Amino acid sequence: MSEAPSVFSRIVSGEIPTTLLAETDRVIAFADIAPQAPVHLLVVPKTAEYRDVVELAAGDPSLLAEVVEVASSLAKEHTGGEFRLVFNTGESAGQTVFHVHAHVLGGSLQEGTLGGA
C-alpha cells in the first residue's frame, strides 16, 4: 500500500494552489502558511524521492545545492541576504512533512531562538 502524496507533492502538481516565489526545473519556493519567523519561506524539490536532507545529500547532491542556491536568492530578496536555513530531519526533530524541504527564516532573529517567535 503506497502513501498518499504529501502536501508538497500536491502543491508541485498544482492540486493545491500557492503563490510561487521562485521556480526552477527541479525546485519551487513559496511562503509558509504558518510562519515561525517574520520571513518564513519554503524551498521544495519537485521530486518526492527524498524524505529528508540526509537522503537528498546522499542521492542527489546537485539538487541539494540547487535548494541552497534558491534559498540564498530568496534571502537576498526578502531579508537582505541574512537568513537561517533549516532542514528538519525526523519526527522528533519537528519534521511533519516527509518530502525534503528547506525553511528559509529571516527578519530580526535572535541568537538562541529557532524561529524568532
Side-chain angles (χ1 to χ4, degrees), residues 11-49:
I11 290 170
V12 167
S13 73
E15 182 181 339
I16 297 175
T18 192
T19 300
L20 294 181
L21 300 175
E23 182 174 17
T24 70
D25 289 342
R26 303 192 310 157
V27 173
I28 62 170
F30 48 91
D32 193 295
I33 63 169
Q36 301 296 307
V39 174
H40 189 167
L41 312 175
L42 298 172
V43 182
V44 180
K46 291 180 178 178
T47 180
E49 182 177 353

Side-chain angles (χ1 to χ4, degrees), residues 20-21 25 29 33-34 40 52 57 60-61 65 75 77 96-97 100 107 114-115:
L20 294 181
L21 300 175
D25 289 342
I33 63 169
H40 189 167
D52 59 49
D60 193 341
E77 181 180 344
T96 58
V97 179
V100 66
L114 290 178

Side-chain angles (χ1 to χ4, degrees), residues 17-105:
T18 192
T19 300
L20 294 181
L21 300 175
E23 182 174 17
T24 70
D25 289 342
R26 303 192 310 157
V27 173
I28 62 170
F30 48 91
D32 193 295
I33 63 169
Q36 301 296 307
V39 174
H40 189 167
L41 312 175
L42 298 172
V43 182
V44 180
K46 291 180 178 178
T47 180
E49 182 177 353
Y50 307 104
R51 290 174 49 87
D52 59 49
V53 69
V54 175
E55 287 185 9
L56 177 58
D60 193 341
S62 68
L63 180 55
L64 176 55
E66 188 170 340
V67 168
V68 173
E69 182 179 320
V70 170
S72 176
S73 176
L74 286 168
K76 285 176 187 164
E77 181 180 344
H78 294 272
T79 70
E82 296 183 356
F83 65 106
R84 289 184 186 160
L85 187 61
V86 176
F87 292 89
N88 298 328
T89 302
E91 190 174 340
S92 67
Q95 186 175 9
T96 58
V97 179
F98 293 90
H99 178 139
V100 66
H101 57 286
H103 297 262
V104 179
L105 305 171

